[in-house]
mmCIF file of all heavy atoms in Angstrom:
data_model
loop_
_atom_site.group_PDB
_atom_site.id
_atom_site.type_symbol
_atom_site.label_atom_id
_atom_site.label_comp_id
_atom_site.label_asym_id
_atom_site.label_seq_id
_atom_site.Cartn_x
_atom_site.Cartn_y
_atom_site.Cartn_z
ATOM 1 N N ASP A 72 16.086 8.940 -3.287
ATOM 2 C CA ASP A 72 16.161 10.235 -3.973
ATOM 3 C C ASP A 72 14.822 10.638 -4.592
ATOM 4 O O ASP A 72 14.729 11.657 -5.278
ATOM 5 C CB ASP A 72 17.230 10.188 -5.077
ATOM 6 C CG ASP A 72 18.627 10.006 -4.500
ATOM 7 O OD1 ASP A 72 18.904 10.569 -3.415
ATOM 8 O OD2 ASP A 72 19.432 9.307 -5.133
ATOM 9 N N GLY A 73 13.788 9.812 -4.402
ATOM 10 C CA GLY A 73 12.471 10.129 -4.942
ATOM 11 C C GLY A 73 12.229 9.647 -6.364
ATOM 12 O O GLY A 73 11.198 9.960 -6.959
ATOM 13 N N ASN A 74 13.164 8.861 -6.917
ATOM 14 C CA ASN A 74 12.994 8.326 -8.268
ATOM 15 C C ASN A 74 12.068 7.113 -8.236
ATOM 16 O O ASN A 74 12.247 6.214 -7.421
ATOM 17 C CB ASN A 74 14.344 7.901 -8.857
ATOM 18 C CG ASN A 74 15.314 9.064 -8.918
ATOM 19 O OD1 ASN A 74 14.980 10.131 -9.403
ATOM 20 N ND2 ASN A 74 16.506 8.854 -8.394
ATOM 21 N N THR A 75 11.091 7.082 -9.143
ATOM 22 C CA THR A 75 10.147 5.980 -9.198
ATOM 23 C C THR A 75 10.836 4.712 -9.703
ATOM 24 O O THR A 75 11.569 4.742 -10.684
ATOM 25 C CB THR A 75 8.963 6.333 -10.121
ATOM 26 O OG1 THR A 75 8.320 7.499 -9.588
ATOM 27 C CG2 THR A 75 7.960 5.198 -10.196
ATOM 28 N N ILE A 76 10.592 3.605 -9.007
ATOM 29 C CA ILE A 76 11.123 2.295 -9.375
ATOM 30 C C ILE A 76 10.013 1.555 -10.117
ATOM 31 O O ILE A 76 8.923 1.361 -9.579
ATOM 32 C CB ILE A 76 11.531 1.480 -8.125
ATOM 33 C CG1 ILE A 76 12.455 2.277 -7.212
ATOM 34 C CG2 ILE A 76 12.127 0.137 -8.520
ATOM 35 C CD1 ILE A 76 13.759 2.688 -7.804
ATOM 36 N N GLY A 77 10.269 1.138 -11.339
ATOM 37 C CA GLY A 77 9.253 0.436 -12.108
ATOM 38 C C GLY A 77 8.124 1.366 -12.492
ATOM 39 O O GLY A 77 8.297 2.581 -12.582
ATOM 40 N N GLN A 78 6.951 0.798 -12.682
ATOM 41 C CA GLN A 78 5.797 1.588 -13.089
ATOM 42 C C GLN A 78 4.857 1.839 -11.922
ATOM 43 O O GLN A 78 4.746 1.012 -11.022
ATOM 44 C CB GLN A 78 5.034 0.867 -14.196
ATOM 45 C CG GLN A 78 5.807 0.803 -15.490
ATOM 46 C CD GLN A 78 4.932 0.305 -16.634
ATOM 47 O OE1 GLN A 78 3.871 -0.250 -16.414
ATOM 48 N NE2 GLN A 78 5.392 0.515 -17.843
ATOM 49 N N GLN A 79 4.198 2.980 -11.973
ATOM 50 C CA GLN A 79 3.189 3.301 -10.985
ATOM 51 C C GLN A 79 1.950 2.448 -11.263
ATOM 52 O O GLN A 79 1.588 2.252 -12.418
ATOM 53 C CB GLN A 79 2.841 4.785 -11.087
ATOM 54 C CG GLN A 79 1.777 5.239 -10.118
ATOM 55 C CD GLN A 79 1.624 6.743 -10.118
ATOM 56 O OE1 GLN A 79 2.555 7.467 -9.840
ATOM 57 N NE2 GLN A 79 0.433 7.212 -10.436
ATOM 58 N N ALA A 80 1.321 1.940 -10.223
ATOM 59 C CA ALA A 80 0.101 1.153 -10.373
ATOM 60 C C ALA A 80 -1.106 2.047 -10.090
ATOM 61 O O ALA A 80 -1.019 2.986 -9.300
ATOM 62 C CB ALA A 80 0.115 -0.028 -9.411
ATOM 63 N N ALA A 81 -2.214 1.747 -10.741
ATOM 64 C CA ALA A 81 -3.432 2.529 -10.537
ATOM 65 C C ALA A 81 -4.625 1.593 -10.424
ATOM 66 O O ALA A 81 -4.652 0.520 -11.024
ATOM 67 C CB ALA A 81 -3.627 3.507 -11.686
ATOM 68 N N ALA A 82 -5.589 2.006 -9.643
ATOM 69 C CA ALA A 82 -6.829 1.258 -9.480
ATOM 70 C C ALA A 82 -7.907 2.252 -9.067
ATOM 71 O O ALA A 82 -7.618 3.413 -8.766
ATOM 72 C CB ALA A 82 -6.655 0.179 -8.412
ATOM 73 N N SER A 83 -9.130 1.792 -9.066
ATOM 74 C CA SER A 83 -10.196 2.646 -8.548
ATOM 75 C C SER A 83 -11.088 1.809 -7.640
ATOM 76 O O SER A 83 -11.178 0.586 -7.784
ATOM 77 C CB SER A 83 -11.005 3.280 -9.682
ATOM 78 O OG SER A 83 -11.725 2.307 -10.384
ATOM 79 N N ILE A 84 -11.702 2.492 -6.687
ATOM 80 C CA ILE A 84 -12.604 1.832 -5.758
ATOM 81 C C ILE A 84 -13.925 2.594 -5.737
ATOM 82 O O ILE A 84 -13.968 3.790 -5.960
ATOM 83 C CB ILE A 84 -12.030 1.751 -4.328
ATOM 84 C CG1 ILE A 84 -11.709 3.153 -3.794
ATOM 85 C CG2 ILE A 84 -10.832 0.855 -4.248
ATOM 86 C CD1 ILE A 84 -11.492 3.199 -2.304
ATOM 87 N N ALA A 85 -14.991 1.889 -5.480
ATOM 88 C CA ALA A 85 -16.304 2.483 -5.259
ATOM 89 C C ALA A 85 -16.953 1.688 -4.147
ATOM 90 O O ALA A 85 -16.939 0.460 -4.164
ATOM 91 C CB ALA A 85 -17.138 2.435 -6.528
ATOM 92 N N VAL A 86 -17.480 2.378 -3.170
ATOM 93 C CA VAL A 86 -18.101 1.726 -2.029
ATOM 94 C C VAL A 86 -19.568 2.139 -1.987
ATOM 95 O O VAL A 86 -19.882 3.331 -2.048
ATOM 96 C CB VAL A 86 -17.400 2.133 -0.708
ATOM 97 C CG1 VAL A 86 -18.098 1.525 0.494
ATOM 98 C CG2 VAL A 86 -15.941 1.729 -0.731
ATOM 99 N N GLY A 87 -20.436 1.152 -1.889
ATOM 100 C CA GLY A 87 -21.864 1.434 -1.752
ATOM 101 C C GLY A 87 -22.272 1.371 -0.297
ATOM 102 O O GLY A 87 -21.481 1.013 0.580
ATOM 103 N N ARG A 88 -23.511 1.726 -0.045
ATOM 104 C CA ARG A 88 -24.059 1.669 1.306
ATOM 105 C C ARG A 88 -24.873 0.382 1.455
ATOM 106 O O ARG A 88 -25.926 0.246 0.837
ATOM 107 C CB ARG A 88 -24.964 2.863 1.562
ATOM 108 C CG ARG A 88 -24.264 4.185 1.488
ATOM 109 C CD ARG A 88 -25.257 5.313 1.674
ATOM 110 N NE ARG A 88 -24.633 6.591 1.405
ATOM 111 C CZ ARG A 88 -25.293 7.708 1.176
ATOM 112 N NH1 ARG A 88 -26.631 7.691 1.189
ATOM 113 N NH2 ARG A 88 -24.669 8.825 0.943
ATOM 114 N N PRO A 89 -24.392 -0.540 2.266
ATOM 115 C CA PRO A 89 -25.132 -1.799 2.416
ATOM 116 C C PRO A 89 -26.438 -1.592 3.184
ATOM 117 O O PRO A 89 -26.590 -0.628 3.942
ATOM 118 C CB PRO A 89 -24.167 -2.686 3.196
ATOM 119 C CG PRO A 89 -23.242 -1.765 3.884
ATOM 120 C CD PRO A 89 -23.164 -0.522 3.047
ATOM 121 N N ILE A 90 -27.363 -2.519 3.012
ATOM 122 C CA ILE A 90 -28.610 -2.500 3.760
ATOM 123 C C ILE A 90 -28.277 -2.550 5.245
ATOM 124 O O ILE A 90 -27.418 -3.319 5.682
ATOM 125 C CB ILE A 90 -29.496 -3.695 3.358
ATOM 126 C CG1 ILE A 90 -29.912 -3.540 1.895
ATOM 127 C CG2 ILE A 90 -30.700 -3.825 4.273
ATOM 128 C CD1 ILE A 90 -30.643 -4.747 1.339
ATOM 129 N N GLY A 91 -28.926 -1.717 6.017
ATOM 130 C CA GLY A 91 -28.707 -1.703 7.457
ATOM 131 C C GLY A 91 -27.589 -0.778 7.909
ATOM 132 O O GLY A 91 -27.286 -0.710 9.101
ATOM 133 N N ALA A 92 -26.959 -0.083 6.970
ATOM 134 C CA ALA A 92 -25.886 0.850 7.350
ATOM 135 C C ALA A 92 -26.458 1.991 8.188
ATOM 136 O O ALA A 92 -27.602 2.407 7.994
ATOM 137 C CB ALA A 92 -25.207 1.398 6.100
ATOM 138 N N THR A 93 -25.648 2.488 9.105
ATOM 139 C CA THR A 93 -26.045 3.606 9.947
ATOM 140 C C THR A 93 -25.700 4.907 9.241
ATOM 141 O O THR A 93 -24.559 5.088 8.794
ATOM 142 C CB THR A 93 -25.299 3.541 11.303
ATOM 143 O OG1 THR A 93 -25.590 2.286 11.925
ATOM 144 C CG2 THR A 93 -25.699 4.678 12.211
ATOM 145 N N ALA A 94 -26.664 5.796 9.131
ATOM 146 C CA ALA A 94 -26.442 7.076 8.455
ATOM 147 C C ALA A 94 -25.232 7.781 9.046
ATOM 148 O O ALA A 94 -25.074 7.868 10.267
ATOM 149 C CB ALA A 94 -27.675 7.961 8.583
ATOM 150 N N GLY A 95 -24.344 8.223 8.179
ATOM 151 C CA GLY A 95 -23.153 8.960 8.603
ATOM 152 C C GLY A 95 -21.912 8.118 8.816
ATOM 153 O O GLY A 95 -20.821 8.647 8.997
ATOM 154 N N GLN A 96 -22.044 6.799 8.782
ATOM 155 C CA GLN A 96 -20.865 5.966 9.032
ATOM 156 C C GLN A 96 -19.911 5.957 7.842
ATOM 157 O O GLN A 96 -20.288 6.327 6.730
ATOM 158 C CB GLN A 96 -21.281 4.535 9.385
ATOM 159 C CG GLN A 96 -21.663 3.677 8.186
ATOM 160 C CD GLN A 96 -22.008 2.252 8.580
ATOM 161 O OE1 GLN A 96 -23.135 1.982 8.965
ATOM 162 N NE2 GLN A 96 -21.048 1.357 8.481
ATOM 163 N N SER A 97 -18.680 5.561 8.088
ATOM 164 C CA SER A 97 -17.678 5.362 7.036
ATOM 165 C C SER A 97 -17.588 3.881 6.710
ATOM 166 O O SER A 97 -17.983 3.034 7.515
ATOM 167 C CB SER A 97 -16.301 5.857 7.497
ATOM 168 O OG SER A 97 -16.312 7.248 7.646
ATOM 169 N N PHE A 98 -17.030 3.594 5.537
ATOM 170 C CA PHE A 98 -16.904 2.211 5.075
ATOM 171 C C PHE A 98 -15.471 1.945 4.651
ATOM 172 O O PHE A 98 -14.876 2.747 3.947
ATOM 173 C CB PHE A 98 -17.852 1.962 3.886
ATOM 174 C CG PHE A 98 -19.283 2.263 4.207
ATOM 175 C CD1 PHE A 98 -19.792 3.536 3.979
ATOM 176 C CD2 PHE A 98 -20.096 1.294 4.762
ATOM 177 C CE1 PHE A 98 -21.118 3.829 4.293
ATOM 178 C CE2 PHE A 98 -21.420 1.584 5.074
ATOM 179 C CZ PHE A 98 -21.934 2.851 4.846
#
Side-chain angles (χ1 to χ4, degrees):
D72 295 324
N74 301 310
T75 300
I76 308 298
Q78 292 190 344
Q79 179 171 301
S83 67
I84 58 165
V86 176
R88 298 177 189 163
I90 295 173
T93 302
Q96 79 177 84
S97 293
F98 303 91

